[in-house]
Structure formats: C-alpha cells, structure tokens
C-alpha cells in the first residue's frame, strides 16, 4: 500500500446568515490510522486579526522592504538601529501571533474538536501538509495561520491556502 503524506484540512466558510462569523470544519489523516473529522464549529469575526496583520505588514513594508520614504521632494531614510528594527519586528510578530491564537481559541469547540484532536493525532516529527480552505479572500490575504500554535509543535508542517 503506497504511503501518503500526513495531512489536515481546515475549512473556514462564512456563515450564510452572518458574514462576519465562520463555520469551521477539520479533517485529518495519516497512514494506518483512522482519519479524524470535526464539523459544525464556529469562530467569530476575524476583523481584529486582519487589523493586526495590516499593522504588521505596514511596518514590514515601510521599514524592511522600503527603507526610503518620500517626504516632500526629498526622500528621508528611517533612522533606526538594527536592534530597534529587530525589536519592532518581534513586537509586531508576537502581537500578530497572539491575535491569531486568541481568535482561534475564542471557540471552545475549535479547541476541543479540532486543535486538541489534531495535536493528539499527529506525531511531532510528522511532515504534515495543512490545507486551509475558505470562501473569504480576506483569510487568504490577511491571515498568517502558520503562526497558529499548532505549528510550534509540528516544525515540519507546511501550509497551503485554497479558495472554495
């Protein structure tokens, strides 16, 4: 029997009656193990995560990618030290990671039915492909789900995003 890569699928669909709420489902599988599945979980609006992501992205773009800013006719270089730059990035990374994990943990059903079960299902050295499916383009554009604490345990896991 051919070997398959351990995988998980997380689906985030906007709720038909409340577009700010997500219906979440999860499926996971691995060779020689019974696949796991959970449906009917809910998460609230992710607007605060999107805002935190935009702050992270703006800092990154302004200070890392584009260190010159045009002000009036003369460009002005950011005058910060390497240490200040690293501290600024760490602060924003930590804030974004906290925001994402707080959002996911805001639903006991997500924690109990998906996160806890996936943590127990896979082994720490598994190379897991995590597929994120969503009908909300903002989740693909503004959600760094690779910062979910699940990825702290599974260092060999990879994430891909798909629209549904």
């Amino acid at each position: 029997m051919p070997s398959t890569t351990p995988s998980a699928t997380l689906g985030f669909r906007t709720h038909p009656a409340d577009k700010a709420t997500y219906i979440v489902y999860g499926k996971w599988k691995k060779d020689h193990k019974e696949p796991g599945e959970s449906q009917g979980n809910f998460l609230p609006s992710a607007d605060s995560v999107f805002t935190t992501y935009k702050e992270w992205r703006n800092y990154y773009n302004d200070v890392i990618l584009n260190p010159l800013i045009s002000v009036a006719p003369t460009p002005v270089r950011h005058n910060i030290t390497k240490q200040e730059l690293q501290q600024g990035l760490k602060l924003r990374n930590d804030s974004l990671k906290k925001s994402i994990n707080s959002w996911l943990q805001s639903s006991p059903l997500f924690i109990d039915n998906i996160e806890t079960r996936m943590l127990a299902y896979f082994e720490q050295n598994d190379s897991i492909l995590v597929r994120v499916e969503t009908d909300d383009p903002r989740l693909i554009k503004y959600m760094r789900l690779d910062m979910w604490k699940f990825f702290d345990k599974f260092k060999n896991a990879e994430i891909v995003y798909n629209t549904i």
Side-chain angles (χ1 to χ4, degrees):
M1 184 153 112
S3 174
T4 59
T5 300
S7 65
T9 300
L10 295 176
F12 298 85
R13 289 187 182 264
T14 52
H15 193 285
D18 178 6
K19 296 294 184 189
T21 303
Y22 297 95
I23 302 170
V24 184
Y25 60 88
K27 298 177 183 181
W28 46 95
K29 64 182 178 180
K30 180 178 166 174
D31 280 345
H32 312 297
K33 278 187 109 171
E34 186 70 29
E37 183 174 352
S38 176
Q39 296 184 28
N41 306 288
F42 294 91
L43 281 168
S45 166
D47 288 344
S48 65
V49 178
F50 300 151
T51 299
T52 306
Y53 173 83
K54 289 173 188 174
E55 292 167 0
W56 171 87
R57 184 194 61 206
N58 289 342
Y59 180 83
Y60 185 84
N61 287 343
D62 289 347
V63 179
I64 306 296
L65 296 181
N66 187 19
L68 291 176
I69 296 179
S70 295
V71 177
T74 311
V76 177
R77 187 174 259 315
H78 289 292
N79 191 19
I80 62 173
T81 66
K82 185 176 180 179
Q83 182 179 5
E84 290 170 328
L85 176 74
Q86 290 171 339
Q87 287 173 343
L89 273 177
K90 182 174 179 357
L91 177 71
R92 283 158 184 86
N93 277 338
D94 291 348
S95 177
L96 182 56
K97 185 172 185 166
K98 181 180 179 183
S99 180
I100 289 167
N101 283 289
S102 294
W103 175 65
L104 291 171
Q105 292 173 356
S106 67
S107 168
L109 289 175
F110 179 84
I111 295 169
D112 295 343
N113 295 340
I114 295 177
E115 184 176 78
T116 301
R117 290 174 61 191
M118 283 177 59
L119 287 168
Y121 185 83
F122 294 110
E123 295 175 28
Q124 195 167 2
N125 61 346
D126 284 342
S127 294
I128 307 163
L129 178 61
V130 178
R131 291 179 191 88
V132 176
E133 302 177 343
T134 183
D135 61 350
D136 185 348
R138 296 174 308 160
L139 279 177
I140 293 175
K141 188 173 182 177
Y142 302 124
M143 184 66 69
R144 292 274 318 269
L145 282 172
D146 59 307
M147 292 183 159
W148 174 28
K149 70 180 184 176
F150 175 85
F151 291 95
D152 291 343
K153 179 176 180 183
F154 299 101
K155 302 292 185 195
N156 296 326
E158 295 181 32
I159 190 167
V160 295
Y161 294 86
N162 297 312
T163 56
I164 49 175

